[in-house]
Amino acid sequence: MGRNNTYLIAICALVLLAAVIIYTQSAQKPHSTPTAHTPAAGTAGPMAPHAALPPAVRETAETGAAPALPKSGQSFIDLTVAQQPPESGVYPVADAPETLGAQRTTLPAGGQSLVFRVLLISEGRCMEGDLDIIRQEMKDSPEAKLLITLEPVLPGDAGVDSFAPQAQEIALSSLQAGTAFSFPLSPSASTRHLGLFICKDTQGKNRCAGKQVVDLAGRSGLGQPVAGGDKADKIYFFEYFMLQDNGITAFDNEKLLRAGADLERYLANRSGQQDEARKVAASVHRINSAVRSISARLSPDTILVNLPRYERGVCMKEGIELPVDKLKEQLKKKKQMDRR
């Protein structure tokens, strides 16, 4: 028994000696000094401009490459939910009806304000899109400005929704590669109803709300001047956002067209303002029914807006036998025949 105790004590002594040696060696190693790329403990450190974006969106922002398009019947907002990891900061709104396709994220802070960041891109597809129509319209109105604005959905109304419209000019040539805009917003405990617009402004009003809304996609002439087109100012993109505290809620534009009175009821429940909710829902439905914009994608600090364009290479990849170029040629020949 005494001999066993001696062995046990010897083993414990060896283990203790080994632990002391390991600790001494680790303490003697030099610690790495924090650098610009290695943030010190407890500090945020610099972040790449698009680091917070989901992978597909980040690839677009950094390289200009187009992320995957939604499948048939799937909206941008649905695709975003599928792409976001659980910790992304973008999540479905639990108390909203499924018919609204609502999702929410927190806006980043910038000083005393919240920052509403927008990234405009143009994804290629095998049919004409918003960017093609906008280019044609701006070509017909060379003196006009192309604006992106953040405005109250109910312009001119006093009360919690009243705030000054913000407008910035878009360089049409920059859209295909992607261009970013930032709008500062004051935090508010009250519900605020925001409209993100893109429009043509020939009269220098520096705002989009109140301009003409038409179904431009339904009037597209496949590269020819838009049928019945004119030089009147028009809204080319619209999306409604609800701001409450420091969070922004987005809705699926396609679903809103079929949601009936669900949006009005949801807004009334959130804000407690029945009359205001009715007016906002009616305005959103009126503009959406005509403009029919693709829903934006949400990421934790950026709203991604796609203005699709025709790209012949996409048609070739999809094996389309009659790409838009051939349809244009057919239209041209038909016009020549009609003149005879």
Side-chain angles (χ1 to χ4, degrees):
M1 189 72 178
R3 182 177 296 177
N4 291 338
N5 287 339
T6 302
Y7 288 154
L8 183 60
I9 293 171
I11 291 172
C12 291
L14 289 173
V15 171
L16 181 60
L17 179 61
V20 171
I21 293 173
I22 293 172
Y23 175 80
T24 303
Q25 289 179 344
S26 63
Q28 290 176 348
K29 289 183 179 179
H31 294 285
S32 57
T33 302
T35 66
H37 302 287
T38 307
T43 64
M47 180 179 288
H50 310 293
L53 298 177
V57 178
R58 184 167 63 248
E59 183 180 356
T60 294
E62 293 176 347
T63 68
L69 285 169
K71 297 178 181 179
S72 177
Q74 184 184 36
S75 71
F76 259 34
I77 210 164
D78 289 336
L79 183 64
T80 303
V81 171
Q83 290 178 341
Q84 296 288 359
E87 69 278 8
S88 68
V90 178
Y91 50 90
V93 179
D95 65 343
E98 292 184 6
T99 53
L100 305 181
Q103 58 174 328
R104 183 176 173 85
T105 191
T106 301
L107 292 179
Q112 299 299 313
S113 301
L114 302 173
V115 183
F116 189 96
R117 295 173 178 161
V118 181
L119 177 64
L120 296 184
I121 65 164
S122 178
E123 295 181 333
R125 66 182 188 181
C126 189
M127 61 184 296
E128 287 201 334
D130 300 41
L131 183 56
D132 302 299
I133 295 170
I134 292 172
R135 280 172 171 165
Q136 183 64 54
E137 287 266 309
M138 298 305 291
K139 181 180 178 182
D140 293 339
S141 303
E143 74 286 359
K145 290 182 179 180
L146 183 64
L147 298 181
I148 179 169
T149 69
L150 190 65
E151 309 182 45
V153 170
L154 304 178
D157 284 12
V160 297
D161 200 41
S162 180
F163 66 96
Q166 300 184 52
Q168 297 184 46
E169 187 173 356
I170 301 172
L172 193 59
S173 59
S174 68
L175 280 180
Q176 188 162 323
T179 184
F181 302 87
S182 294
F183 300 93
L185 290 171
S186 300
S188 174
S190 302
T191 302
R192 299 170 72 181
H193 306 287
L194 315 178
L196 181 66
F197 297 84
I198 295 175
C199 71
K200 179 172 66 173
D201 184 31
T202 57
Q203 301 176 7
K205 292 187 176 181
N206 225 33
R207 66 182 307 169
C208 293
K211 294 188 185 295
Q212 182 182 170
V213 289
V214 295
D215 182 4
L216 289 173
R219 296 165 60 181
S220 174
L222 294 171
Q224 309 300 317
V226 176
D230 54 46
K231 294 188 178 182
D233 288 352
K234 302 179 185 69
I235 294 172
Y236 302 121
F237 175 89
F238 168 76
E239 182 147 3
Y240 164 65
F241 296 90
M242 183 181 74
L243 176 67
Q244 197 166 40
D245 298 320
N246 64 343
I248 196 85
T249 301
F251 303 87
D252 186 309
N253 287 340
E254 283 295 322
K255 291 183 178 180
L256 286 182
L257 293 176
R258 306 185 297 270
D262 286 354
L263 179 62
E264 178 183 337
R265 285 192 288 266
Y266 176 69
L267 296 181
N269 290 336
R270 293 292 299 182
S271 66
Q273 304 291 327
Q274 182 66 53
D275 187 56
E276 181 184 70
R278 177 180 55 80
K279 291 179 180 179
V280 169
S283 180
V284 170
H285 184 77
R286 178 182 64 84
I287 302 175
N288 266 345
S289 298
V291 182
R292 296 179 178 271
S293 300
I294 298 174
S295 293
R297 295 173 182 164
L298 284 190
S299 77
D301 68 351
T302 303
I303 293 98
L304 182 76
V305 172
N306 176 39
L307 300 175
R309 71 185 189 283
Y310 165 67
E311 187 174 308
R312 187 181 181 190
V314 176
C315 293
M316 296 174 67
K317 287 181 181 178
E318 295 178 358
I320 305 297
E321 294 183 3
L322 286 176
V324 173
D325 286 343
K326 291 187 178 181
L327 292 176
K328 288 180 183 179
E329 187 63 29
Q330 289 180 355
L331 287 171
K332 183 178 179 180
K333 289 181 180 179
K334 184 178 182 301
K335 285 186 177 181
Q336 292 174 347
M337 293 295 292
D338 291 342
R339 289 172 186 165
R340 296 175 186 174

